[in-house]
Amino acid sequence: FLNEHGNDASINEELTTARARITEVLAELVATDKMFRVQFNIQLLSEMPVQRDLQLTPDQFDEVQQLRATLPAPAPPPQTQGSNQQPTNRPNSAQMIRQANDAEAALDSILTEAQSDRLRQISLQLGGARAFDDPDVIAALKLSAQQTEAIRRIRTTFGPGPDGGPMGRPGGPGG
């Protein structure tokens, strides 16, 4: 198609517009994912078993609750059909990344290093096979593009069962 129509100015303009939109969508997905991960970790800290595991102090719990109150409520994805504009009350991807980074830094200042490490472990364990979507996990395991694609195919083929457990087993590992 491009070989036949590569010199057509209208096609080039459409391709440029499509590339720009794809870049925006990808940036929004990255930002949303980062914010979700931070909010999930903060939510985990409201669970009593996690508080006990991390030996969270009452002062730390209060600080986490204050931090949680400052975060934006999860927002649905913007409408993509019929409008290229984001709703005005939804932060753009750069703002969302900045908010997530700020919240992550605040959480790191509340928790000790050991508590932060353990919270991350708990979060990854609860995510099951979705942990392989985490860029830090991919980097730590030094997974190649082929390996991440193979994992994605396996997850798609054997996806979660009706209860959400990995590979269709109730409740995850060990059943």
Side-chain angles (χ1 to χ4, degrees):
F1 179 83
L2 288 176
N3 289 337
E4 294 175 20
H5 302 283
N7 294 329
D8 185 337
S10 65
I11 296 293
N12 285 332
E13 186 177 323
E14 285 182 49
L15 285 172
T16 299
T17 301
R19 283 184 185 114
R21 180 66 185 133
I22 289 169
T23 300
E24 288 174 24
V25 169
L26 289 174
E28 173 131 2
L29 286 171
V30 167
T32 301
D33 180 66
K34 184 163 183 66
M35 180 58 82
F36 171 78
R37 289 174 195 276
V38 170
Q39 288 177 325
F40 181 71
N41 284 344
I42 290 171
Q43 175 63 33
L44 280 177
L45 291 170
S46 67
E47 301 292 331
M48 188 57 70
V50 175
Q51 293 173 26
R52 279 193 300 266
D53 193 318
L54 271 59
Q55 299 176 357
L56 206 63
T57 68
D59 287 343
Q60 286 176 310
F61 178 78
D62 290 343
E63 288 182 62
V64 169
Q65 292 304 89
Q66 290 171 9
L67 173 60
R68 185 176 180 192
T70 67
L71 293 178
Q79 299 296 322
T80 55
Q81 291 184 337
S83 172
N84 287 336
Q85 296 180 341
Q86 289 185 328
T88 55
N89 61 345
R90 183 179 175 82
N92 66 36
S93 55
Q95 291 169 322
M96 198 179 307
I97 288 281
R98 191 169 39 259
Q99 288 173 336
N101 286 340
D102 290 349
E104 205 169 44
L107 190 57
D108 285 343
S109 74
I110 295 168
L111 302 176
T112 66
E113 187 175 341
Q115 288 172 320
S116 291
D117 290 346
R118 180 63 183 136
L119 179 62
R120 178 139 173 79
Q121 291 170 352
I122 293 168
S123 179
L124 287 171
Q125 289 169 351
L126 289 173
R130 286 184 300 259
F132 290 105
D133 294 335
D134 187 314
D136 293 335
V137 171
I138 293 168
L141 296 175
K142 298 179 181 164
L143 296 176
S144 69
Q146 291 93 351
Q147 289 171 316
T148 56
E149 179 58 24
I151 291 168
R152 188 199 60 75
R153 280 194 312 272
I154 291 167
R155 286 179 51 209
T156 300
T157 302
F158 297 103
D163 71 337
M167 305 297 192
R169 293 186 311 223

